[in-house]
Amino acid sequence: MGESIIRTYDLWKRYEIQGHNDAAIRGVDMDIRRGQIVALFGKSGSGKTTFLNLLAGLDVPSTGRIEIDGQDLAGLGETGRTRLRRDKLGFVFQFFNLLPTLTALENVFLALELTGGADAKPAVEALARVGLQGKEHRYPHELSGGEQQRVAIARALVKGPPIILADEPTGNLDSATGAQILALLVERCRAAGATLIMVSHALNTCDYADRILRMTDGRFVEVSSCRELTQ
Ligand SMILES: Nc1ncnc2c1ncn2[C@@H]1O[C@H](COP(=O)(O)OP(=O)(O)OP(=O)(O)O)[C@@H](O)[C@H]1O
Ligand SMILES: [Mg+2]
């Protein structure tokens, strides 16, 4: 089944709001293997984004432990977590999150520059792999939503990170474009051997996933098929 790339141990995230304690994540023990394509479902407010933010080290757990590629996040410190995010993680968001004053190529190249790369060729190639050859010099506002998400996929994958986190990557696209982008994202991750964890509301995501997890009451429940999600 491959080696573990993400592990969590009795992970909790509690929020205190107006003196009232509430937990978004309630004791999650998770073992995700390298190269797995994982779909996360769960109703709004169930804790999916919180979970991704914890894995990314953007948020700290109240208690429990997270290991990314064998490294304990808490032991890394803020600098170490920033480096881990840069080197090991790629992100795809619902609203694309491209920098509006940079072209498609510059947006992708920026991810390389942050890791010390100076050669633009990998960025050009990454854009070609998502079908954007000839549109490298367009600005985000000159691209369709689907094309902007293609740029975001190229940006996430250009450094060859072992893990891609995607929070509703098709949530802002019409269903036909969303289906194309989903297929592309999964295909690019499989080609790169990257582990993909994606939050979705679209049931067709199940068709692409090796594992389907549903968050209920702050914990994940393994689901064997999409049909169970509609029950
Ligand atoms: N900074 C915060 N302070 C207090 N409560 C928070 C904070 N962030 C999230 N929450 C609460 O934690 C719970 C989980 O939120 P989260 O954003 O993870 O849900 P989600 O599953 O991603 O929902 P959606 O499908 O709507 O994106 C919610 O009840 C939310 O109100
Ligand atoms: Mg969310």
Side-chain angles (χ1 to χ4, degrees), residues 167-190:
D167 200 349
E168 304 195 38
T170 65
N172 199 39
L173 300 170
D174 65 76
S175 60
T177 308
Q180 279 176 10
I181 291 298
L182 177 63
L184 176 72
L185 176 62
V186 170
E187 187 249 321
R188 292 320 319 157
C189 286
R190 288 227 192 264

PDB file of all heavy atoms in Angstrom, residues 167-190:
ATOM      1  N   ASP A 167      -8.643  22.697  -1.777  1.00  0.00           N
ATOM      2  CA  ASP A 167      -9.885  22.977  -1.043  1.00  0.00           C
ATOM      3  C   ASP A 167     -10.954  23.438  -2.024  1.00  0.00           C
ATOM      4  O   ASP A 167     -10.911  24.564  -2.511  1.00  0.00           O
ATOM      5  CB  ASP A 167      -9.626  24.039   0.033  1.00  0.00           C
ATOM      6  CG  ASP A 167     -10.694  24.024   1.122  1.00  0.00           C
ATOM      7  OD1 ASP A 167     -11.730  23.353   0.938  1.00  0.00           O
ATOM      8  OD2 ASP A 167     -10.487  24.689   2.152  1.00  0.00           O
ATOM      9  N   GLU A 168     -11.869  22.553  -2.334  1.00  0.00           N
ATOM     10  CA  GLU A 168     -12.936  22.814  -3.302  1.00  0.00           C
ATOM     11  C   GLU A 168     -12.398  23.405  -4.609  1.00  0.00           C
ATOM     12  O   GLU A 168     -12.808  24.491  -5.014  1.00  0.00           O
ATOM     13  CB  GLU A 168     -13.992  23.728  -2.679  1.00  0.00           C
ATOM     14  CG  GLU A 168     -14.530  23.121  -1.392  1.00  0.00           C
ATOM     15  CD  GLU A 168     -15.810  23.778  -0.908  1.00  0.00           C
ATOM     16  OE1 GLU A 168     -16.636  24.117  -1.766  1.00  0.00           O
ATOM     17  OE2 GLU A 168     -15.959  23.935   0.310  1.00  0.00           O
ATOM     18  N   PRO A 169     -11.494  22.683  -5.275  1.00  0.00           N
ATOM     19  CA  PRO A 169     -10.842  23.229  -6.473  1.00  0.00           C
ATOM     20  C   PRO A 169     -11.798  23.490  -7.635  1.00  0.00           C
ATOM     21  O   PRO A 169     -11.471  24.250  -8.536  1.00  0.00           O
ATOM     22  CB  PRO A 169      -9.819  22.146  -6.846  1.00  0.00           C
ATOM     23  CG  PRO A 169     -10.339  20.889  -6.245  1.00  0.00           C
ATOM     24  CD  PRO A 169     -11.030  21.314  -4.982  1.00  0.00           C
ATOM     25  N   THR A 170     -12.974  22.870  -7.595  1.00  0.00           N
ATOM     26  CA  THR A 170     -13.924  23.102  -8.690  1.00  0.00           C
ATOM     27  C   THR A 170     -15.160  23.868  -8.210  1.00  0.00           C
ATOM     28  O   THR A 170     -16.118  24.034  -8.947  1.00  0.00           O
ATOM     29  CB  THR A 170     -14.370  21.764  -9.334  1.00  0.00           C
ATOM     30  OG1 THR A 170     -15.104  21.004  -8.373  1.00  0.00           O
ATOM     31  CG2 THR A 170     -13.177  20.945  -9.802  1.00  0.00           C
ATOM     32  N   GLY A 171     -15.088  24.359  -6.959  1.00  0.00           N
ATOM     33  CA  GLY A 171     -16.256  24.991  -6.341  1.00  0.00           C
ATOM     34  C   GLY A 171     -16.734  26.263  -7.009  1.00  0.00           C
ATOM     35  O   GLY A 171     -17.882  26.660  -6.846  1.00  0.00           O
ATOM     36  N   ASN A 172     -15.837  26.908  -7.762  1.00  0.00           N
ATOM     37  CA  ASN A 172     -16.206  28.174  -8.395  1.00  0.00           C
ATOM     38  C   ASN A 172     -16.331  28.039  -9.916  1.00  0.00           C
ATOM     39  O   ASN A 172     -16.296  29.042 -10.634  1.00  0.00           O
ATOM     40  CB  ASN A 172     -15.167  29.238  -8.030  1.00  0.00           C
ATOM     41  CG  ASN A 172     -15.687  30.640  -8.229  1.00  0.00           C
ATOM     42  OD1 ASN A 172     -16.846  30.934  -7.945  1.00  0.00           O
ATOM     43  ND2 ASN A 172     -14.847  31.517  -8.756  1.00  0.00           N
ATOM     44  N   LEU A 173     -16.473  26.798 -10.384  1.00  0.00           N
ATOM     45  CA  LEU A 173     -16.542  26.568 -11.835  1.00  0.00           C
ATOM     46  C   LEU A 173     -17.880  25.916 -12.183  1.00  0.00           C
ATOM     47  O   LEU A 173     -18.469  25.223 -11.355  1.00  0.00           O
ATOM     48  CB  LEU A 173     -15.398  25.640 -12.261  1.00  0.00           C
ATOM     49  CG  LEU A 173     -13.976  26.146 -11.967  1.00  0.00           C
ATOM     50  CD1 LEU A 173     -12.967  25.035 -12.219  1.00  0.00           C
ATOM     51  CD2 LEU A 173     -13.650  27.370 -12.814  1.00  0.00           C
ATOM     52  N   ASP A 174     -18.362  26.130 -13.419  1.00  0.00           N
ATOM     53  CA  ASP A 174     -19.574  25.424 -13.843  1.00  0.00           C
ATOM     54  C   ASP A 174     -19.272  23.932 -13.898  1.00  0.00           C
ATOM     55  O   ASP A 174     -18.111  23.525 -13.921  1.00  0.00           O
ATOM     56  CB  ASP A 174     -20.067  25.970 -15.192  1.00  0.00           C
ATOM     57  CG  ASP A 174     -19.089  25.687 -16.309  1.00  0.00           C
ATOM     58  OD1 ASP A 174     -19.028  24.529 -16.766  1.00  0.00           O
ATOM     59  OD2 ASP A 174     -18.353  26.617 -16.704  1.00  0.00           O
ATOM     60  N   SER A 175     -20.308  23.100 -13.944  1.00  0.00           N
ATOM     61  CA  SER A 175     -20.064  21.664 -13.747  1.00  0.00           C
ATOM     62  C   SER A 175     -19.232  21.045 -14.865  1.00  0.00           C
ATOM     63  O   SER A 175     -18.401  20.180 -14.600  1.00  0.00           O
ATOM     64  CB  SER A 175     -21.378  20.910 -13.538  1.00  0.00           C
ATOM     65  OG  SER A 175     -22.207  21.075 -14.654  1.00  0.00           O
ATOM     66  N   ALA A 176     -19.402  21.488 -16.109  1.00  0.00           N
ATOM     67  CA  ALA A 176     -18.611  20.910 -17.205  1.00  0.00           C
ATOM     68  C   ALA A 176     -17.136  21.275 -17.058  1.00  0.00           C
ATOM     69  O   ALA A 176     -16.252  20.410 -17.159  1.00  0.00           O
ATOM     70  CB  ALA A 176     -19.145  21.393 -18.554  1.00  0.00           C
ATOM     71  N   THR A 177     -16.867  22.557 -16.787  1.00  0.00           N
ATOM     72  CA  THR A 177     -15.478  22.998 -16.592  1.00  0.00           C
ATOM     73  C   THR A 177     -14.899  22.339 -15.344  1.00  0.00           C
ATOM     74  O   THR A 177     -13.750  21.878 -15.353  1.00  0.00           O
ATOM     75  CB  THR A 177     -15.408  24.537 -16.448  1.00  0.00           C
ATOM     76  OG1 THR A 177     -16.099  25.122 -17.541  1.00  0.00           O
ATOM     77  CG2 THR A 177     -13.981  25.034 -16.433  1.00  0.00           C
ATOM     78  N   GLY A 178     -15.705  22.264 -14.300  1.00  0.00           N
ATOM     79  CA  GLY A 178     -15.272  21.631 -13.055  1.00  0.00           C
ATOM     80  C   GLY A 178     -14.850  20.188 -13.282  1.00  0.00           C
ATOM     81  O   GLY A 178     -13.831  19.740 -12.750  1.00  0.00           O
ATOM     82  N   ALA A 179     -15.614  19.466 -14.082  1.00  0.00           N
ATOM     83  CA  ALA A 179     -15.289  18.064 -14.365  1.00  0.00           C
ATOM     84  C   ALA A 179     -13.955  17.960 -15.095  1.00  0.00           C
ATOM     85  O   ALA A 179     -13.135  17.080 -14.806  1.00  0.00           O
ATOM     86  CB  ALA A 179     -16.403  17.415 -15.179  1.00  0.00           C
ATOM     87  N   GLN A 180     -13.724  18.872 -16.050  1.00  0.00           N
ATOM     88  CA  GLN A 180     -12.439  18.886 -16.779  1.00  0.00           C
ATOM     89  C   GLN A 180     -11.268  19.168 -15.839  1.00  0.00           C
ATOM     90  O   GLN A 180     -10.221  18.527 -15.913  1.00  0.00           O
ATOM     91  CB  GLN A 180     -12.433  20.008 -17.828  1.00  0.00           C
ATOM     92  CG  GLN A 180     -13.135  19.677 -19.115  1.00  0.00           C
ATOM     93  CD  GLN A 180     -13.144  20.895 -20.052  1.00  0.00           C
ATOM     94  OE1 GLN A 180     -12.476  21.895 -19.787  1.00  0.00           O
ATOM     95  NE2 GLN A 180     -13.894  20.807 -21.129  1.00  0.00           N
ATOM     96  N   ILE A 181     -11.457  20.153 -14.975  1.00  0.00           N
ATOM     97  CA  ILE A 181     -10.383  20.563 -14.073  1.00  0.00           C
ATOM     98  C   ILE A 181     -10.073  19.452 -13.065  1.00  0.00           C
ATOM     99  O   ILE A 181      -8.919  19.169 -12.764  1.00  0.00           O
ATOM    100  CB  ILE A 181     -10.753  21.889 -13.351  1.00  0.00           C
ATOM    101  CG1 ILE A 181     -10.760  23.044 -14.352  1.00  0.00           C
ATOM    102  CG2 ILE A 181      -9.832  22.184 -12.179  1.00  0.00           C
ATOM    103  CD1 ILE A 181      -9.420  23.340 -15.020  1.00  0.00           C
ATOM    104  N   LEU A 182     -11.128  18.801 -12.585  1.00  0.00           N
ATOM    105  CA  LEU A 182     -10.946  17.688 -11.661  1.00  0.00           C
ATOM    106  C   LEU A 182     -10.126  16.576 -12.312  1.00  0.00           C
ATOM    107  O   LEU A 182      -9.160  16.062 -11.735  1.00  0.00           O
ATOM    108  CB  LEU A 182     -12.326  17.171 -11.247  1.00  0.00           C
ATOM    109  CG  LEU A 182     -12.362  15.957 -10.331  1.00  0.00           C
ATOM    110  CD1 LEU A 182     -11.700  16.289  -9.000  1.00  0.00           C
ATOM    111  CD2 LEU A 182     -13.808  15.522 -10.114  1.00  0.00           C
ATOM    112  N   ALA A 183     -10.506  16.218 -13.548  1.00  0.00           N
ATOM    113  CA  ALA A 183      -9.793  15.161 -14.270  1.00  0.00           C
ATOM    114  C   ALA A 183      -8.334  15.556 -14.483  1.00  0.00           C
ATOM    115  O   ALA A 183      -7.419  14.741 -14.306  1.00  0.00           O
ATOM    116  CB  ALA A 183     -10.477  14.878 -15.608  1.00  0.00           C
ATOM    117  N   LEU A 184      -8.119  16.821 -14.841  1.00  0.00           N
ATOM    118  CA  LEU A 184      -6.753  17.310 -15.078  1.00  0.00           C
ATOM    119  C   LEU A 184      -5.921  17.274 -13.789  1.00  0.00           C
ATOM    120  O   LEU A 184      -4.777  16.794 -13.795  1.00  0.00           O
ATOM    121  CB  LEU A 184      -6.811  18.739 -15.631  1.00  0.00           C
ATOM    122  CG  LEU A 184      -5.454  19.416 -15.836  1.00  0.00           C
ATOM    123  CD1 LEU A 184      -4.713  18.815 -17.019  1.00  0.00           C
ATOM    124  CD2 LEU A 184      -5.628  20.923 -16.034  1.00  0.00           C
ATOM    125  N   LEU A 185      -6.495  17.769 -12.719  1.00  0.00           N
ATOM    126  CA  LEU A 185      -5.780  17.809 -11.438  1.00  0.00           C
ATOM    127  C   LEU A 185      -5.345  16.395 -11.020  1.00  0.00           C
ATOM    128  O   LEU A 185      -4.190  16.173 -10.654  1.00  0.00           O
ATOM    129  CB  LEU A 185      -6.682  18.433 -10.366  1.00  0.00           C
ATOM    130  CG  LEU A 185      -6.140  18.465  -8.937  1.00  0.00           C
ATOM    131  CD1 LEU A 185      -4.872  19.312  -8.837  1.00  0.00           C
ATOM    132  CD2 LEU A 185      -7.206  19.000  -7.979  1.00  0.00           C
ATOM    133  N   VAL A 186      -6.280  15.457 -11.107  1.00  0.00           N
ATOM    134  CA  VAL A 186      -5.974  14.084 -10.709  1.00  0.00           C
ATOM    135  C   VAL A 186      -4.930  13.478 -11.645  1.00  0.00           C
ATOM    136  O   VAL A 186      -3.960  12.856 -11.206  1.00  0.00           O
ATOM    137  CB  VAL A 186      -7.265  13.231 -10.670  1.00  0.00           C
ATOM    138  CG1 VAL A 186      -6.933  11.760 -10.495  1.00  0.00           C
ATOM    139  CG2 VAL A 186      -8.181  13.713  -9.549  1.00  0.00           C
ATOM    140  N   GLU A 187      -5.098  13.710 -12.927  1.00  0.00           N
ATOM    141  CA  GLU A 187      -4.153  13.157 -13.901  1.00  0.00           C
ATOM    142  C   GLU A 187      -2.747  13.710 -13.679  1.00  0.00           C
ATOM    143  O   GLU A 187      -1.755  12.968 -13.707  1.00  0.00           O
ATOM    144  CB  GLU A 187      -4.660  13.490 -15.322  1.00  0.00           C
ATOM    145  CG  GLU A 187      -3.898  12.844 -16.447  1.00  0.00           C
ATOM    146  CD  GLU A 187      -3.103  13.858 -17.254  1.00  0.00           C
ATOM    147  OE1 GLU A 187      -3.608  14.983 -17.492  1.00  0.00           O
ATOM    148  OE2 GLU A 187      -1.973  13.530 -17.638  1.00  0.00           O
ATOM    149  N   ARG A 188      -2.653  15.013 -13.430  1.00  0.00           N
ATOM    150  CA  ARG A 188      -1.337  15.626 -13.198  1.00  0.00           C
ATOM    151  C   ARG A 188      -0.710  15.094 -11.895  1.00  0.00           C
ATOM    152  O   ARG A 188       0.488  14.878 -11.823  1.00  0.00           O
ATOM    153  CB  ARG A 188      -1.425  17.158 -13.118  1.00  0.00           C
ATOM    154  CG  ARG A 188      -1.772  17.934 -14.393  1.00  0.00           C
ATOM    155  CD  ARG A 188      -1.154  17.460 -15.692  1.00  0.00           C
ATOM    156  NE  ARG A 188       0.242  17.069 -15.593  1.00  0.00           N
ATOM    157  CZ  ARG A 188       0.861  16.247 -16.431  1.00  0.00           C
ATOM    158  NH1 ARG A 188       0.213  15.697 -17.433  1.00  0.00           N
ATOM    159  NH2 ARG A 188       2.119  15.950 -16.279  1.00  0.00           N
ATOM    160  N   CYS A 189      -1.520  14.922 -10.854  1.00  0.00           N
ATOM    161  CA  CYS A 189      -0.990  14.387  -9.591  1.00  0.00           C
ATOM    162  C   CYS A 189      -0.523  12.950  -9.767  1.00  0.00           C
ATOM    163  O   CYS A 189       0.547  12.569  -9.286  1.00  0.00           O
ATOM    164  CB  CYS A 189      -2.039  14.480  -8.481  1.00  0.00           C
ATOM    165  SG  CYS A 189      -2.259  16.154  -7.880  1.00  0.00           S
ATOM    166  N   ARG A 190      -1.307  12.145 -10.482  1.00  0.00           N
ATOM    167  CA  ARG A 190      -0.905  10.746 -10.711  1.00  0.00           C
ATOM    168  C   ARG A 190       0.404  10.706 -11.510  1.00  0.00           C
ATOM    169  O   ARG A 190       1.305   9.931 -11.186  1.00  0.00           O
ATOM    170  CB  ARG A 190      -1.995  10.002 -11.477  1.00  0.00           C
ATOM    171  CG  ARG A 190      -3.216   9.719 -10.619  1.00  0.00           C
ATOM    172  CD  ARG A 190      -3.685   8.276 -10.770  1.00  0.00           C
ATOM    173  NE  ARG A 190      -4.991   8.084 -10.194  1.00  0.00           N
ATOM    174  CZ  ARG A 190      -5.208   7.626  -8.955  1.00  0.00           C
ATOM    175  NH1 ARG A 190      -4.190   7.325  -8.159  1.00  0.00           N
ATOM    176  NH2 ARG A 190      -6.434   7.478  -8.501  1.00  0.00           N
TER     177      ARG A 190
END
